[in-house]
Amino acid sequence: MSELALLTVGIRSEVRRDGTLHLSLQSTALNDPGPDEVVVEMVAAPLHPADISMLLGPAHLASGAITGKGEDRTAVFQIPPERMRPLATRTGKSLPVGNEGAGIVVAAGERHEDLIGKPVAVMGGGMVTRYRVVPARNLLPIPDGVPIGNGAAVLINPLTALAMIETMRKRGHNALVHTAAASSLGQMLNRICLQDDIPLVNVVRRPEQVSLLENQGAKYVCDSSSSSFADELNAQVAAAGATLAFDAVGGGKLAGQILSAMETHCLAQVFDYNRYGSKVHKQVYFYGGLDTRPSELDRSYGMSWSVGGWLIFDELERMKVEQLDGLRSRISAEMLSTFACEFAGELSMTELLDPDTLRVIAQRSTGAKYLVNPRKPLT
Amino acid sequence: MSELALLTVGIRSEVRRDGTLHLSLQSTALNDPGPDEVVVEMVAAPLHPADISMLLGPAHLASGAITGKGEDRTAVFQIPPERMRPLATRTGKSLPVGNEGAGIVVAAGERHEDLIGKPVAVMGGGMVTRYRVVPARNLLPIPDGVPIGNGAAVLINPLTALAMIETMRKRGHNALVHTAAASSLGQMLNRICLQDDIPLVNVVRRPEQVSLLENQGAKYVCDSSSSSFADELNAQVAAAGATLAFDAVGGGKLAGQILSAMETHCLAQVFDYNRYGSKVHKQVYFYGGLDTRPSELDRSYGMSWSVGGWLIFDELERMKVEQLDGLRSRISAEMLSTFACEFAGELSMTELLDPDTLRVIAQRSTGAKYLVNPRKPLT
């Protein structure tokens, strides 16, 4: 390890008690890797919606102050006072950013020296940084012939999509509803479900996203902004036979509408009146919260239903080793097809800390996902 | 069976397509009991909130028309047009009323002839009737020394309260929150939890109910109508260490407030910031819906949480025979203590079908539970 520079520099996000958000670069010393760890030099880290939420919180981006150059670059934004309360647990803490990325192994603990020099996908938090020490189990080697940038986003979204299917099977469901279905994750889930012959109802939020998914072979797509949405959702949920949904939207009436469509379908298959509704369990999991309003549940779908949080990291912890290995093998084999992800551009860490850039990123537009390349020179 | 009159008469509730609710008495022929069945002559059937909802639906009780005498008694009420839609699945169906009661076994299938002449508690729907054929497993013999009226409500509420504790243990929780806690069920659950040393947070809806429960030994009671409710709930949930709630209210913000109190307590016990909240699973089960508004969930309690329906009948079906036998034995032994229930009065079936009486019953007041005695002469 003696030949290695033991310093790294990475992006930090800090909410301060005075109601400001500070984005900056921070230098920290790297620990030597333990026997089961490796040091990865990061080459590409994607900004997923969850990373953007972590980076920017609810800051007001219209007026930002930027100071310093290179490693001293700092961007400061105001946070609306009424948005501070939910941030209490992170206030005053300088948080690293980035759930995953791709890089080159530059040093390794004794059990993993064979990985040195190899390109790897890596997950574990704080990935928008020059170097990162991680447990080797957080890596997935990028196969020969796959450009390293194509390995930047092959863990979080692919594992999330595959874990949704594992959850579906484990809980005895046979079909899925997915919301915000035009997202990178949604398009990936659509490819998996087509391949595996799993009926999938794609709920999108804009008319043009219907054709986007239909052009990719999706059988069931409905647009929540359409005036006939409830009818379309009912018809598609019935045709798919879906009793499980993964919802990235969270707020408003959508989750309740999905449960209601499921219950309507289940009741159509029983003849006796049961005041407690159908006995088939109907489930909506929230895995995101694009709509920050409260979820409104009118409970008009009997008694056999549940909604709640679903977190990929907890799912991965609960998974058996063989099961997880199965998912990892599939990702390796299909990295350039099923699990491919497109990016709108590549930024250095200082380019990211520019108010104009941040405002673009904050829109989290479909098809406009950016990569940060921590090796790119700081300006 | 030849010596038995094979006719019964019981209360029926029917929502009609024209937007009216018809309550009437209906004569039907009784089937002979099968080898595992018995015929019970009903003596007392309680009107729980769930029975009242079934009986009256959302009918407007201020102006009702009553016609006929004796078995021909009929009461008709209007249903507000905007309340008809959720009733679609029951419209046009004449539904029997009453989840449980007590009576005397007057005939039995060959395997249960020893029960003839014995007083029993019984559950299974349609209990507000002269005679009812039920499977013997739906009975619980009323022990010597217990007046038959005291066995009228010893199945639904006692099994519900005990099944809540079973759910708590099965899901790995150690304490409970219960809402509408001044109800018969709530007072019963309080007695069980005191006996079994289970911390219980009682959430009531009016100030006078605080002392009602405190006088019965409750340690944690908070009043959701109080201006300091959120603080009291937080403090009591933390002191009890509760991560599971059974909620009879359903609508509004209460379920979310409970989850938020649980999460605050869980986060106070971890030092590292985790943007996804605490890893401890927090659960609210809706088992009733006294507040018919939508439930509002602001999802400010991390990712490890769930809300959903909880139905005693499904729980009983899922229970192992030995487990259910254990609960039944406890109810038998403590019928006059832990599981005692008080009644405000006893009505004949025709007395029940009186608009003034129905208006009193529709209030579902704490401490004003009525019994129907189907043997009482019809007027």
Side-chain angles (χ1 to χ4, degrees), chain B residues 3 7 10 19 35 73 76 119 123-124 142 160 164 167 176 186-187 218 232-233 241 256 277 282 287 300 336 370:
Chain B
E3 73 277 31
L7 266 185
R73 173 71 59 94
V76 180
M123 64 190 283
I142 297 176
T160 301
M164 287 174 173
T167 294
L176 288 176
Q187 295 180 44
E232 287 167 31
L233 180 68
K282 296 156 290 288
Y287 74 95
S300 65
L336 290 179
Y370 284 80

Side-chain angles (χ1 to χ4, degrees), chain A residues 124-148:
Chain A
M127 292 298 165
V128 184
T129 191
R130 280 284 283 142
Y131 299 98
R132 183 80 167 78
V133 181
V134 290
R137 67 170 181 277
N138 287 21
L139 304 182
L140 181 67
I142 297 175
D144 290 346
V146 176
I148 191 165

Side-chain angles (χ1 to χ4, degrees), chain B residues 8-54:
Chain B
T8 184
V9 57
I11 298 263
R12 294 281 176 149
S13 169
E14 182 180 351
V15 171
R16 296 202 178 157
R17 243 164 275 279
D18 64 1
T20 54
L21 172 77
H22 289 244
L23 305 180
S24 61
L25 288 156
Q26 192 177 78
S27 281
T28 44
L30 274 191
N31 293 327
D32 284 348
D36 281 314
E37 291 182 322
V38 301
V39 181
V40 180
E41 180 179 11
M42 298 304 297
V43 173
L47 296 170
H48 294 302
D51 302 306
I52 297 166
S53 300
M54 176 78 158

Side-chain angles (χ1 to χ4, degrees), chain B residues 21 23 63-70 72-77 349-359 379:
Chain B
L21 172 77
L23 305 180
S63 58
I66 179 171
T67 56
K69 280 181 178 289
D72 296 324
R73 173 71 59 94
T74 302
V76 180
F77 301 95
M349 292 193 285
T350 41
E351 283 166 345
L352 172 61
L353 296 196
D354 174 274
D356 288 335
T357 308
L358 291 171
R359 280 192 281 273
T379 50

Side-chain angles (χ1 to χ4, degrees), chain A residues 75-115:
Chain A
V76 180
F77 300 94
Q78 297 295 316
I79 297 171
E82 71 276 13
R83 305 297 296 274
M84 281 296 288
R85 195 166 167 267
L87 304 174
T89 47
R90 67 170 282 190
T91 301
K93 299 191 174 84
S94 170
L95 302 175
V97 172
N99 272 321
E100 70 173 329
I104 307 283
V105 176
V106 293
E110 55 198 38
R111 298 204 191 112
H112 299 283
E113 288 176 351
D114 56 314
L115 286 170

Side-chain angles (χ1 to χ4, degrees), chain A residues 50 54 89-90 95 250-251 273 275 279 286 291 293-297 299 303 305-310 314 317, chain B residues 50 54 89-90 95 250-251 273 275 279 286 291 293-297 299 303 305-310 317:
Chain A
M54 176 77 158
T89 47
R90 67 170 282 190
L95 302 175
Y273 169 70
R275 55 181 303 211
K279 288 187 156 224
F286 297 127
D291 183 337
R293 293 175 301 164
S295 318
E296 260 187 58
L297 301 168
R299 309 186 310 286
M303 292 299 277
W305 62 274
S306 179
V307 307
W310 185 92
D314 291 343
E317 271 181 32
Chain B
M54 176 78 158
T89 48
R90 67 169 284 187
L95 302 175
Y273 169 70
R275 55 182 303 213
K279 289 187 155 229
F286 297 127
D291 182 337
R293 293 176 301 163
S295 319
E296 260 188 58
L297 301 168
R299 309 185 309 286
M303 292 299 278
W305 62 273
S306 179
V307 307
W310 185 92
E317 271 182 30

Side-chain angles (χ1 to χ4, degrees), chain B residues 187-228:
Chain B
Q187 295 180 44
M188 205 174 276
L189 186 63
N190 180 50
R191 290 192 291 271
I192 298 170
C193 287
L194 286 172
Q195 226 177 83
D196 295 5
D197 214 13
I198 296 165
L200 170 69
V201 178
N202 296 278
V203 178
V204 298
R205 297 192 288 171
R206 285 199 301 278
E208 64 272 23
Q209 295 171 332
V210 175
S211 49
L212 175 90
L213 280 162
E214 283 179 348
N215 290 340
Q216 296 179 22
K219 188 167 173 192
Y220 306 114
V221 191
C222 53
D223 167 20
S224 60
S225 74
S226 153
S227 61
S228 55

